[in-house]
Amino acid sequence: GRRPVFLSDDVVARLLRYDDLIPRLEAVLGKFSLRDSAAVVQPVRSVMPVVDHNGFLGLMPAYVAYEGILCAKVVAFYSREEGSSLPSTQATVLLFDPEFGNVAAVMDGLDITHKRTAAVSAISAKLLSPAQSDVLCILGSGHQALSHYEVFMQLFSFKEVRVWSRRMEMAKQFAASVQGSVTVCSSVKETVDGADVIVTVTNSSEPVLFGEWVKPGAHVAAVGACRPNWRELDDVLMRDAVIYVDSREAAAVESGDIILSGAKVFAEIGEVLNGTSPALREKTTVFKSLGMGIQDAICAKLVFDKWKSNQ
């Protein structure tokens, strides 16, 4: 009978921490890859085009039964004109009482989206990046670039960080906004030369990263291009790398990098966490991240429980 609690993005950001989040995400990714519907239920994201405004509306429900979490995220994402100050993504997360079905909490979903995406990329790097990784590159300079920088710098000890953006001024703003030294590069080729870990968080619909530029044995965490006709990575990279995904089902219908290249998926990241597929860190690897409702659900429950404990 209680009214839903509303938690704004600043509250969510204060309560959601990578130290708490990462082990919970590792656990749920492993459960998902076991395909045990008694533990985790998550359909592929439903996406509806908003044709008149060059956007999409996505619905991402999930039931994490072993944790008692029923959740749905509604996310709107748009292709903005270059130079636009409008956000490309906005999201709202609904947390339900799984026993009765009522909404327990409504949360701004941006910080959840940024942090859970970056955390899963970091998990992929923990498993797949070269044992000696000195150079981190980030292609893109938006919110996802910032969240990835934060978690990668928290978990790893890189000697050099480079960033590239289509707009040089945005890359410079990014470098100036973070703690630590970041080199701003004028081209993707220059940025990734000799890099050990490459994060692609662009809004590109055409390849920006080419296999001939990527150091053998490097790890690529590819986060952009979440539509079947969008790409960040070229055919050479997709052909030569070992491909890992968060969800095979989602990758088969949502990832242009995989669909258009014809690349074969080697394993889900959850299978690596379970020990049922190997982490081939000596190979060039790509982790194609599309985002999952179970990730949002884990975040929402973590935030809500912390909020309740502070009341």
Side-chain angles (χ1 to χ4, degrees):
R2 294 181 179 178
R3 292 182 178 180
V5 172
F6 175 71
L7 301 180
S8 60
D9 212 43
D10 60 329
V11 173
V12 174
R14 187 175 71 249
L15 297 176
L16 192 57
R17 292 287 180 265
Y18 290 118
D19 288 345
D20 302 318
L21 180 57
I22 287 175
R24 288 172 170 83
L25 287 175
E26 290 176 336
V28 78
L29 288 167
K31 293 282 190 182
F32 172 81
S33 291
L34 293 175
R35 297 301 188 273
D36 180 3
S37 60
V40 175
V41 179
Q42 180 198 263
V44 174
R45 171 173 37 211
S46 174
V47 179
M48 179 184 71
V50 186
V51 179
D52 294 348
H53 302 288
N54 205 22
F56 299 88
L57 183 68
L59 177 62
M60 303 172 66
Y63 180 37
V64 184
Y66 75 94
E67 289 280 5
I69 310 171
L70 182 62
C71 184
K73 183 169 80 174
V74 182
V75 55
F77 53 101
Y78 286 74
S79 295
R80 303 295 190 190
E81 294 182 359
E82 186 171 335
S84 173
S85 60
L86 296 173
S88 60
T89 303
Q90 298 183 76
T92 301
V93 176
L94 306 176
L95 185 65
F96 297 84
D97 183 315
E99 182 177 0
F100 301 106
N102 58 293
V103 178
V106 180
M107 305 180 192
D108 276 344
L110 279 185
D111 195 72
I112 286 174
T113 301
H114 297 152
K115 284 182 178 173
R116 59 82 153 150
T117 306
V120 174
S121 293
I123 291 168
S124 81
K126 282 172 58 180
L127 298 170
L128 301 172
S129 63
Q132 180 66 37
S133 292
D134 295 329
V135 181
L136 168 68
C137 295
I138 300 175
L139 307 182
S141 58
H143 292 294
Q144 283 287 7
L146 181 59
S147 60
H148 277 74
Y149 177 85
E150 289 173 346
V151 70
F152 273 71
M153 297 309 289
Q154 180 175 321
L155 294 185
F156 306 101
S157 298
F158 293 103
K159 296 179 180 178
E160 183 181 359
V161 181
R162 307 173 193 156
V163 66
W164 169 88
S165 181
R166 289 188 188 277
R167 298 169 60 197
M168 177 67 77
E169 66 270 23
M170 296 302 295
K172 290 179 178 178
Q173 287 180 25
F174 172 87
S177 70
V178 301
Q179 294 182 345
S181 176
V182 176
T183 301
V184 176
C185 299
S186 60
S187 72
V188 174
K189 184 178 180 180
E190 175 192 357
T191 310
V192 305
D193 182 37
D196 301 294
V197 178
I198 303 167
V199 176
T200 63
V201 282
T202 75
N203 60 4
S204 179
S205 59
E206 299 292 336
V208 295
L209 180 61
F210 291 82
E212 63 182 285
W213 301 339
V214 176
K215 170 185 173 181
H219 174 60
V220 179
V223 174
C226 60
R227 296 293 296 154
N229 58 336
W230 295 357
R231 301 190 63 175
E232 288 185 306
L233 317 179
D234 80 329
D235 284 349
V236 173
L237 179 53
M238 295 301 293
R239 180 194 66 212
D240 293 347
V242 181
I243 309 299
Y244 296 81
V245 297
D246 45 16
S247 163
R248 293 177 186 270
E249 292 87 352
V253 297
E254 290 189 321
S255 172
D257 284 317
I258 290 172
I259 295 167
L260 299 177
S261 69
K264 302 300 182 184
V265 172
F266 178 74
E268 290 179 343
I269 206 71
E271 294 169 349
V272 180
L273 290 162
N274 289 335
T276 56
S277 291
L280 301 178
R281 64 168 70 240
E282 73 278 6
K283 304 284 189 179
T284 304
T285 54
V286 168
F287 170 60
K288 179 56 203 173
S289 170
L290 289 162
M292 306 170 75
I294 55 172
Q295 299 165 3
D296 302 307
I298 290 295
C299 290
K301 183 63 159 53
L302 181 58
V303 168
F304 188 54
D305 286 348
K306 283 191 173 183
W307 177 84
K308 285 194 299 183
S309 70
N310 292 333
Q311 298 309 298

